Amino acid sequence: MLGSAAGGGFPQWNCGCPGCRAVRDGSRPCRPRTQSSIAVSPDHQRWFLLNASPDIHAHIESLSAPQSSKGRTTPLAAVLLTDAELDHTLGLLLLREGRALEVHATQAAHEALYDGTSLLRTLERYCAVEWRPVVPGADVSLGDGLSYRAFDVPTTKQARFGPTSGQGRVVGYRLTDERSGRSAVYLPGLQQLTPAIREQLDDCACLFVDGTCWHDDELIRLGLAGKTAREMGHLPIDGPDGSLEQLSPLPVERKIYVHINNTNPILLEDAPERRLVEKQGMEVAMDGLEIRV
């Protein structure tokens, strides 16, 4: 777990919400967090990054792989993108010093990053970019017994760039160790837990799931935005149809909330919301958490 916060990190640079104030002044127990990303590896030598946040420099430095003392090398093998959101892709530009970069993305995400934000078009001026199209439902080998299957995550969130509808705007990843048959699911953006998405969670050993907001109207209550969590493409944790009620009964070994917004009270270790999450068998991600599947 490289970064466990949503866009802006924790604390967010321009925010004075209760959580951000607490992490700055130490008035309540909580830990700073960088922006959301995880890395997976079959051997702790080659690492595959899922999303490239603006904190990518610190993330890569934290990977447990030896750096060569000669020339410019990296343990980073490729980047797998769940979507084209800026907080998931801005880090790509910070990899421009490399000779080449392998990027796995859906057609919709590639279109948004190439013709919409022009992020990939800009990056190509500095280094070679090898695009590997991600097709939901197709199994893809990453080598050394590690593979993934992307799955479509429907969303009604208004796209700022690229396609406004259709398959592949947002995907999750089911990552499998083919030697043991055990899988982990990375799902940082989830608006609705559909039957098709539930199928992807069957028999997984570990689930990293969207924990952006506690309340659906969290940002509205705090006077920070005019949209609900669902309108921004995220299923809230609380409520009769929230993610906690739906996910806590699942027979998954570890269920971990990721992509946690700075306004979410579960970031405060003494909050009743945090205790409720843990009582229901869910975990709150923190930077540096290592899971062996």
Side-chain angles (χ1 to χ4, degrees):
M1 176 60 57
L2 302 177
S4 51
F10 182 62
Q12 182 171 306
W13 66 277
N14 65 340
C15 187
C17 73
C20 288
R21 291 200 305 269
V23 78
R24 289 189 183 106
D25 62 24
S27 57
R28 296 179 66 180
C30 52
R31 306 183 189 189
R33 285 167 165 82
T34 58
Q35 295 169 88
S36 182
S37 177
I38 69 169
V40 295
S41 175
D43 56 9
H44 277 220
Q45 302 294 316
R46 298 169 60 246
W47 289 89
F48 297 88
L49 204 63
L50 279 83
N51 291 337
S53 93
D55 299 306
I56 195 169
H57 179 271
H59 290 169
I60 291 177
E61 288 294 322
S62 71
L63 297 179
S64 56
Q67 293 280 3
S68 172
S69 59
K70 297 181 180 180
R72 290 181 172 176
T73 61
T74 175
L76 179 61
V79 178
L80 283 59
L81 299 177
T82 61
D83 51 51
E85 291 291 327
L86 287 181
D87 54 320
H88 294 162
T89 59
L90 276 175
L92 294 172
L93 288 176
L94 303 181
L95 299 176
R96 65 188 183 279
E97 292 91 354
R99 293 190 180 93
L101 179 63
E102 183 177 305
V103 177
H104 295 239
T106 64
Q107 176 69 43
H110 183 267
E111 182 177 332
L113 292 170
Y114 201 83
D115 297 322
T117 64
S118 295
L119 191 149
L120 287 181
R121 192 191 302 271
T122 301
L123 185 60
E124 286 181 343
R125 298 296 182 97
Y126 293 89
C127 70
V129 178
E130 182 178 359
W131 172 42
R132 297 292 182 87
V134 169
V135 179
D139 291 314
V140 178
S141 174
L142 295 173
D144 298 319
L146 179 65
S147 65
Y148 75 75
R149 180 192 304 151
F151 55 94
D152 198 49
V153 181
T155 182
T156 60
K157 179 181 179 180
Q158 184 64 39
R160 290 185 173 91
F161 303 95
T164 57
S165 62
Q167 188 182 57
R169 286 180 55 204
V170 180
V171 296
Y173 286 93
R174 183 176 174 116
L175 301 136
T176 299
D177 182 341
E178 297 170 347
R179 297 161 294 190
S180 66
R182 288 164 63 82
S183 297
V185 171
Y186 186 57
L187 188 55
L190 173 66
Q191 190 177 47
Q192 182 181 6
L193 195 60
T194 65
I197 292 176
R198 283 182 178 272
E199 288 182 11
Q200 299 298 330
L201 310 185
D202 287 345
D203 303 321
C204 73
C206 184
L207 170 62
F208 299 97
V209 67
D210 187 344
T212 305
C213 290
W214 178 262
H215 296 291
D216 191 32
D217 62 348
E218 186 169 302
L219 297 178
I220 297 174
R221 291 187 186 194
L222 292 170
L224 300 176
K227 292 184 178 180
T228 66
R230 287 184 174 88
E231 288 171 340
M232 295 186 292
H234 301 285
L235 180 66
I237 296 175
D238 192 33
D241 57 350
S243 63
L244 185 61
E245 180 180 276
Q246 296 188 67
L247 294 175
S248 58
L250 295 183
V252 177
E253 292 176 26
R254 298 189 72 170
K255 293 164 285 190
I256 305 170
Y257 279 121
V258 300
H259 197 273
I260 308 163
N261 200 55
N262 59 290
T263 57
N264 194 326
I266 66 172
L267 290 172
L268 301 171
E269 296 168 17
D270 63 350
E273 294 88 351
R274 174 69 165 265
R275 291 194 294 270
L276 179 58
V277 162
E278 294 173 343
K279 183 180 179 180
Q280 295 293 334
M282 305 283 287
E283 300 178 51
V284 176
M286 58 184 176
D287 294 14
L289 177 68
E290 184 171 344
I291 305 290
R292 292 182 180 271
V293 175

